[in-house]
Amino acid sequence: MKAGLFECDHVKEVYRDEHGDYADMFVQLFPELEWRFYDVCNGVLPSNLDECDVYFATGSYKSVYDQEDWIEELKETVRAIAQQDKYFVGFCFGHQLLGEAMGGKVRKSSRGWCVGVHEFDLLEHEPWMNPFQDQLNLLMMCQDQVLELPPDATVLASADKCPVGIFRVGTKMLGIQGHPEYTKAYDRLLLEMRVDRIGQETVQIGRQSFEKDVHQETIRNWILRFIGYLPVESQSA
């Protein structure tokens, strides 16, 4: 399966030897996919959406409501993906991008930053969520959230501080507010770099949360089933 990655940001060069760039994180998470990379934050978009079967979008230090040409062009591309009935999966900024592009609203949450490991309750049991579990732990690093859902959207997972944790638009577009591609080490690095922005109390809660398990393999396999790479019946619930 050919997968395209919309690179909406890059890891700071000084940290790439240890953590890799975001493209490296996606390849490590989904090594079975045949990857093609689009440096969209520097103006590179697919010339033809048939270049790939599924498109992913990374996180970003930008906000999807920032008035920048590449963000507006990427929203148009997401709408074109929907029109062509292709798969799309967005993480963090990519999740918010899906919400805004398809008619929802994204803003800074009144609850502040979500950092570290967050526990999400599953609200729906979809066939590709196999084997199913009632709760999913994901790494987080965000202050923007989807506050209004687009039409034809279903919330699949929710947390107290992040009501729209995972949502689906139609049958082929998926948004995940967390960072399944991150390691705890990289999430911790970002946390320590942003103490002044996030606030000492929230940072301390984030530090303590790293003691919890992260269900990276679960969400990885769910996504592979969602996009049709793995059959939904390959494991029993």
Side-chain angles (χ1 to χ4, degrees):
M1 179 176 278
K2 296 179 180 179
L5 181 64
F6 295 144
E7 297 173 281
C8 307
D9 198 0
H10 296 282
V11 173
K12 292 183 182 298
E13 192 169 352
V14 67
Y15 301 121
R16 289 182 199 169
D17 284 346
E18 181 176 358
H19 300 283
D21 204 347
Y22 294 123
D24 302 304
M25 296 181 192
F26 275 80
V27 171
Q28 186 170 6
L29 185 61
F30 301 111
E32 51 275 279
L33 301 181
E34 182 181 336
W35 285 99
R36 186 163 183 169
F37 305 105
Y38 302 93
D39 192 359
V40 295
C41 59
N42 287 305
V44 180
L45 285 162
S47 57
N48 188 322
L49 288 177
D50 286 336
E51 292 174 5
C52 298
D53 305 303
V54 55
Y55 288 91
F56 290 80
T58 72
S60 179
Y61 79 98
K62 294 287 187 179
S63 294
V64 296
Y65 46 81
D66 288 341
Q67 299 299 307
E68 298 202 14
D69 290 345
W70 73 267
I71 295 176
E72 294 306 311
E73 291 170 1
L74 189 52
K75 289 177 185 177
E76 292 180 8
T77 301
V78 170
R79 288 189 284 268
I81 290 170
Q83 290 169 0
Q84 295 189 25
D85 198 31
K86 287 183 173 292
Y87 286 102
F88 174 87
V89 182
F91 294 172
C92 197
F93 175 91
H95 160 99
Q96 298 156 14
L97 175 73
L98 175 61
E100 280 264 334
M102 301 303 291
K105 293 295 181 185
V106 173
R107 291 291 181 269
K108 286 182 171 54
S109 171
S110 61
R111 303 291 300 278
W113 283 81
C114 290
V115 298
V117 182
H118 280 246
E119 300 174 347
F120 288 90
D121 294 320
L122 273 296
L123 307 180
E124 303 288 340
H125 184 174
E126 308 238 317
W128 46 271
M129 295 175 177
N130 185 10
F132 183 74
Q133 56 190 60
D134 293 323
Q135 192 174 77
L136 193 69
N137 292 0
L138 297 175
L139 289 167
M140 298 279 282
M141 182 57 63
C142 68
Q143 58 177 335
D144 287 344
Q145 291 189 30
V146 176
L147 300 184
E148 294 181 22
L149 289 169
D152 197 24
T154 302
V155 179
L156 305 178
S158 181
D160 178 56
K161 204 173 178 180
C162 182
V164 184
I166 302 176
F167 76 107
R168 173 177 50 74
V169 178
T171 60
K172 291 189 174 180
M173 309 190 86
L174 186 68
I176 299 169
Q177 180 60 77
H179 282 282
E181 79 281 20
Y182 279 9
T183 61
K184 283 186 179 179
Y186 185 68
D187 202 56
R188 185 181 288 110
L189 170 67
L190 295 180
L191 185 68
E192 300 301 339
M193 287 171 54
R194 298 172 178 175
V195 174
D196 290 343
R197 293 168 58 190
I198 296 172
Q200 190 62 244
E201 182 179 354
T202 301
V203 167
Q204 185 57 30
I205 294 171
R207 289 173 181 145
Q208 294 170 351
S209 75
F210 289 123
E211 299 175 2
K212 302 174 185 175
D213 291 334
V214 176
H215 299 137
Q216 185 183 58
E217 188 65 15
T218 298
I219 191 65
R220 187 193 98 83
N221 287 327
W222 284 7
I223 292 168
L224 288 174
R225 290 191 174 88
F226 177 80
I227 65 175
Y229 182 86
L230 293 178
V232 296
E233 70 275 12
S234 63
Q235 296 185 40
S236 59

